Amino acid sequence: MTTLVSSSDPLLQPFQLKHLTLRNRLVVTSHEPAYPEDGMPKDKYRAYHVARAKGGIALTMTAGSAAVSRDSPPVFNNVLAYKDEVVGWLKKMTDEVHEHGAAVMIQLTHLGRRTGWSKGDWLPVVSSSRHREPSHRAFPKLIEDWDITRIIKDYGDAAERMKAAGMDGLELECYGHLMDQFISPATNTLDGPYGGTLDNRMRFAFDVLGEIRKRVGPEFIVGIRYTADEDMENGITKTEGMEISRRFKTSGLVDYLNIIRGHIETDAALTDVIPVQGMRSAPHLDFAGEIRAETRFPTFHAARIPDVATARHAIASGKVDMIGMTRAHMTDPHIVRKIMEKREDDIRPCVGATYCLDRIYQGGDAYCIHNPATGRELTMPHDILAASVKKHVVVVGAGPAGLEAARVAGERGHEVTVFEAAGEAGGQVRLTSRSKRRSEMIGIIDWRMAQCQRLGVKFRFNTYAEAADIESLSPDVVIIATGGLPHTEVLSQGNELVCSAWDILSGDVKPGSSVLLYDDAGDHTGLMAAEVLAEAGAKVEIMTRDRSFAPDVMGMNLVPYMRSLQKHDVTFTVTFLLESVVRDGNQLRAVIGTDYSNLKKERQIDQVVVNHGTQPLDDLYFALKPQSRNLGEVDYPALMAGKPQTISTNPAGRFALFRIGDAVSARNTHAAIYDALRLVKDI
């Protein structure tokens, strides 16, 4: 099953875990991309993990986490390990992962209080205390003896299913979920055999492990991913965590330790466990190394290991035996293959945007902000195939959409020319990256520019392209990726008195001292502008007509904004809308309304900032449209089926014409890049 490579690179050394030889030291740790269908890991789920096996990963860990009991309903689209039908689907995935030389495991859990009673079968949530978890809000029933017996059996049943599916092993989730709720003194108020002393608090975990071993035997690999320091008041301390680690090792029931530090019952706490961009890389790696040094036991770890250099250090320094680059492998599933081929510069970088995780916590599929093939392996390629006929493709705009179009066209073997009005590439992403905390976003642009240069793409910067400029090149295909400009004319009066969030971010307009920021888009741009305003000393009111502010900035990415804004004089007002602005002496008077009644209010401020998305820069598109073969039309069924665009409604037309990204309508970076990939991969 394994393919071993002779190399001195620490990351490429094999690792022996019991009877299993792992072909290198890189693991995709358990996570749930929310791809199951009806709780089953069907073809989309299988294709995602197979892509990483093809890319050379040693071990791909599925399901973060699969539910073992019906009273552990998933809070998003998890695998249901309590159903017998899961075996067939997992067997199909396991067999194909094995064909490509990787091992495959699964993570099992009971969520305890970390879920809701109104999901699944509407059974009460259970836990080792009645304390509600802030994130999921359910008031749990205090677990009874018969619940404990039932759930232990459910773990054993699920483990048997995993073994029947041919998996190499399983991992138990023991941080924030039921098993850890028992172990932590902060969440265990039980008396008797399962509460009080550490011996008693760990009893549930060992009862589960004992049941699993009885069902799967001594050879099946069983690991545990657990917090060895909750870093919270009344929680598991580092000292107690060391003792827990030693007990797991000496139990003889566990084959490896997977180290977590922190707690996850709030968005803020979860973000410290799984850091986002702007936060420190590998913040818990040294701690994991302390556990390994103390226990001298196989140790795994993953927490913001974004690049190969950090992963290599983790292994070379002996801090851990297996290192996880899980989000990085969502961005580029072929990291190991590129290391082996001495092509580390070609690795698509994880920029830490955490669009992937934030999407699943809002009930969507996990997608990478700048690799739209991730999660779409059944329809989108990670590797671009060469075209049979070479064409001249002209792209207008060098933002993320335009650069992706140019990159993919270059990989197809086409001649590519890119026009860009600015002096450098990047568009809105370059503006975003001016924020120190979000500076990693420029990796989206830098990687594509490097790829385009490798592919011989020609750039014409500082060139505002006119229709004649395009037509003079006799292109076969023209792609308009000109983006958009801020839309601020949303008031009944006073549009000329406001500025845009972009004006604040770019520095074109200086912050006022008392600012009303009307955020009707609810995206990163509004909160980024608020940070600039607040850090300049302004008193800021962020207002939205929505019932919550910044709805497109999801849980984990919201955390650093709040940590920044709450230090300043910033207030949030929801369910009110800005109607008009008039000049009032040397100040402005804003008239405020609401969708819920005829109520009117006023604000006296000296600056109004509007964030209302963008309007497309589409003049060039409409100028070229009459000269195009397809008159700009897109065959949507063909696009969605992954087939070439063949519409030719204008026989006199000289080129095919398309527009993508914000040149169509205001969306986000992922949508812009996806537009480009799924269109250009078939040109």
Side-chain angles (χ1 to χ4, degrees):
M1 182 187 73
T2 56
T3 301
L4 304 181
V5 176
S6 177
S7 171
S8 60
D9 189 330
L11 288 175
L12 298 181
Q13 304 309 304
F15 180 68
Q16 195 69 33
L17 182 62
K18 214 173 208 175
H19 63 277
L20 181 65
T21 303
L22 299 171
R23 59 184 172 180
N24 55 62
R25 299 304 183 95
L26 285 166
V27 56
V28 172
T29 52
S30 286
H31 61 292
E32 183 49 75
Y35 301 153
E37 300 166 50
D38 302 318
M40 295 296 111
K42 298 185 181 180
D43 291 343
K44 179 176 180 175
Y45 198 99
R46 173 186 52 78
Y48 169 77
H49 283 285
V50 168
R52 278 120 198 102
K54 287 180 179 178
I57 199 75
L59 169 63
T60 188
M61 308 264 284
T62 65
S65 310
V68 301
S69 302
R70 285 190 174 274
D71 64 341
S72 176
V75 291
F76 43 85
N77 189 13
N78 298 66
V79 172
L80 302 180
Y82 57 76
K83 292 190 173 184
D84 288 339
E85 64 187 286
V86 77
V87 174
W89 292 108
L90 286 174
K91 181 70 164 61
K92 184 177 181 181
M93 178 183 66
T94 297
D95 287 348
E96 192 166 353
V97 167
H98 284 168
E99 287 175 11
H100 295 286
V104 57
M105 293 175 60
I106 193 167
Q107 189 180 78
L108 301 179
T109 200
H110 190 293
L111 288 160
R113 69 176 188 160
R114 194 172 169 78
T115 183
W117 52 263
S118 62
K119 302 178 184 299
D121 297 301
W122 284 57
L123 297 173
V125 171
V126 298
S127 186
S128 48
S129 76
R130 292 191 176 95
H131 302 328
R132 185 180 77 166
E133 188 204 53
S135 284
H136 294 87
R137 300 179 52 79
F139 290 98
K141 163 195 164 183
L142 190 65
I143 199 165
E144 298 181 64
D145 50 1
W146 59 270
D147 290 313
I148 294 173
T149 300
R150 169 179 57 82
I151 292 169
I152 291 170
K153 179 180 181 298
D154 288 344
Y155 268 105
D157 291 344
E160 282 191 344
R161 294 184 187 103
M162 302 308 109
K163 185 176 182 181
M167 305 198 88
D168 294 294
L170 63 85
E171 178 178 87
L172 298 178
E173 214 275 25
C174 185
Y175 65 102
H177 294 196
L178 183 61
M179 193 171 285
D180 174 62
Q181 290 161 31
F182 270 90
I183 295 175
S184 173
T187 49
N188 188 332
T189 61
L190 295 170
D191 296 321
Y194 289 98
T197 66
L198 182 59
D199 281 341
N200 288 353
R201 286 184 278 122
M202 291 193 73
R203 190 183 306 277
F204 177 72
F206 285 132
D207 284 353
V208 169
L209 284 163
E211 180 70 11
I212 287 173
R213 277 292 176 215
K214 184 171 70 176
R215 302 288 198 94
V216 301
E219 292 304 310
F220 196 66
I221 291 171
V222 177
I224 191 158
R225 194 174 195 187
Y226 68 106
T227 178
D229 177 8
E230 286 189 300
D231 192 24
M232 64 181 288
E233 187 176 355
N234 299 322
I236 296 167
T237 64
K238 180 178 177 180
T239 299
E240 193 170 52
M242 284 291 184
E243 177 60 23
I244 290 167
S245 303
R246 287 189 289 266
R247 292 189 185 196
F248 278 139
K249 175 193 174 179
T250 58
S251 71
L253 299 171
V254 172
D255 297 311
Y256 70 86
L257 307 176
N258 193 345
I259 308 303
I260 292 288
R261 188 178 204 176
H263 52 109
I264 62 172
E265 77 283 357
T266 65
D267 286 343
L270 178 65
T271 305
D272 287 332
V273 171
I274 311 174
V276 301
Q277 62 184 196
M279 299 175 73
R280 188 161 62 97
S281 292
H284 312 306
L285 177 60
D286 288 343
F287 176 67
E290 291 181 51
I291 300 288
R292 184 180 184 272
E294 172 68 23
T295 62
R296 300 182 182 275
F297 200 59
T299 303
F300 293 18
H301 178 63
R304 190 154 157 75
I305 312 294
D307 54 67
V308 170
T310 304
R312 187 173 284 126
H313 164 72
I315 299 300
S317 62
K319 293 185 184 298
V320 293
D321 298 290
M322 296 292 294
I323 191 71
M325 298 179 67
T326 304
R327 279 176 286 180
H329 272 92
M330 295 188 80
T331 307
D332 191 335
H334 299 149
I335 290 173
V336 176
R337 175 164 61 85
K338 290 176 180 178
I339 294 172
M340 292 167 60
E341 295 172 357
K342 310 295 184 184
R343 295 171 48 220
E344 289 182 32
D345 289 345
D346 282 341
I347 294 172
R348 188 187 311 231
C350 175
V351 297
T354 315
Y355 184 70
C356 49
L357 282 173
D358 270 347
R359 274 187 56 85
I360 64 170
Y361 288 122
Q362 296 287 38
D365 295 353
Y367 292 131
C368 173
I369 195 169
H370 78 120
N371 185 353
T374 290
R376 298 188 180 98
E377 282 83 2
L378 296 174
T379 57
M380 293 293 118
H382 286 289
D383 290 323
I384 307 299
L385 299 178
S388 57
V389 177
K390 183 176 180 178
K391 297 181 177 181
H392 186 188
V393 178
V394 172
V395 179
V396 185
L403 289 180
E404 178 71 353
R407 178 191 76 87
V408 177
E411 293 280 13
R412 296 280 284 160
H414 299 311
E415 178 186 355
V416 185
T417 303
V418 180
F419 288 87
E420 170 54 47
E424 55 188 353
Q428 291 183 49
V429 172
R430 186 164 293 278
L431 193 61
T432 295
S433 69
R434 293 181 65 161
S435 163
K436 182 178 180 181
R437 189 168 49 74
R438 304 197 72 207
S439 61
E440 292 169 77
M441 292 289 284
I442 202 63
I444 295 172
I445 303 303
D446 290 346
W447 180 76
R448 285 177 170 78
M449 282 299 295
Q451 295 299 304
C452 285
Q453 290 164 4
R454 174 179 64 82
L455 295 163
V457 173
K458 299 173 185 175
F459 286 89
R460 298 189 183 184
F461 290 109
N462 296 307
T463 304
Y464 190 87
E466 304 282 358
D469 299 319
I470 306 301
E471 294 178 72
S472 69
L473 296 178
S474 300
D476 299 295
V477 180
V478 177
I479 298 172
I480 304 299
T482 43
L485 288 177
H487 179 34
T488 58
E489 295 190 4
V490 298
L491 309 180
S492 62
Q493 181 183 359
N495 288 307
E496 74 282 0
L497 300 176
V498 311
C499 67
S500 73
W502 283 27
D503 290 328
I504 298 297
L505 293 174
S506 65
D508 290 343
V509 174
K510 293 183 178 179
S513 59
S514 177
V515 184
L516 174 62
L517 194 162
Y518 182 56
D519 185 10
D520 203 26
D523 56 13
H524 282 272
T525 304
L527 292 185
M528 288 174 61
E531 279 190 303
V532 172
L533 293 164
E535 288 170 3
K539 178 181 180 180
V540 183
E541 179 181 10
I542 302 172
M543 180 177 290
T544 176
R545 72 194 300 175
D546 293 321
R547 59 183 176 180
S548 62
F549 65 90
D552 287 349
V553 180
M554 294 168 268
M556 296 181 72
N557 269 294
L558 184 63
V559 170
Y561 284 116
M562 298 312 297
R563 286 176 173 166
S564 170
L565 294 173
Q566 286 180 344
K567 294 185 296 186
H568 299 287
D569 191 358
V570 178
T571 59
F572 297 86
T573 302
V574 298
T575 71
F576 284 92
L577 61 97
L578 179 63
E579 292 186 347
S580 63
V581 177
V582 296
R583 192 168 294 283
D584 188 359
N586 62 354
Q587 287 197 307
L588 300 174
R589 186 173 75 253
V591 177
I592 312 301
T594 170
D595 293 317
Y596 299 90
S597 70
N598 294 322
L599 179 68
K600 302 292 181 187
K601 296 186 176 185
E602 292 187 350
R603 296 284 195 276
Q604 291 288 133
I605 63 273
D606 62 21
Q607 188 175 59
V608 174
V609 179
V610 171
N611 182 42
H612 190 81
T614 60
Q615 286 193 323
L617 275 169
D618 53 14
D619 290 351
L620 179 59
Y621 167 79
F622 283 107
L624 290 169
K625 184 175 175 178
Q627 284 74 50
S628 66
R629 286 194 301 273
N630 60 326
L631 299 177
E633 182 179 353
V634 179
D635 182 344
Y636 281 170
L639 184 74
M640 292 182 289
K643 296 180 180 179
Q645 296 289 312
T646 59
I647 291 175
S648 184
T649 49
N650 179 22
R654 298 189 294 277
F655 49 83
L657 175 68
F658 305 99
R659 58 176 171 154
I660 58 177
D662 283 4
V664 179
S665 63
R667 288 171 288 164
N668 66 15
T669 301
H670 177 84
I673 294 172
Y674 184 33
D675 272 2
L677 175 64
R678 66 173 170 175
L679 174 71
V680 183
K681 74 179 181 64
D682 295 309
I683 289 176

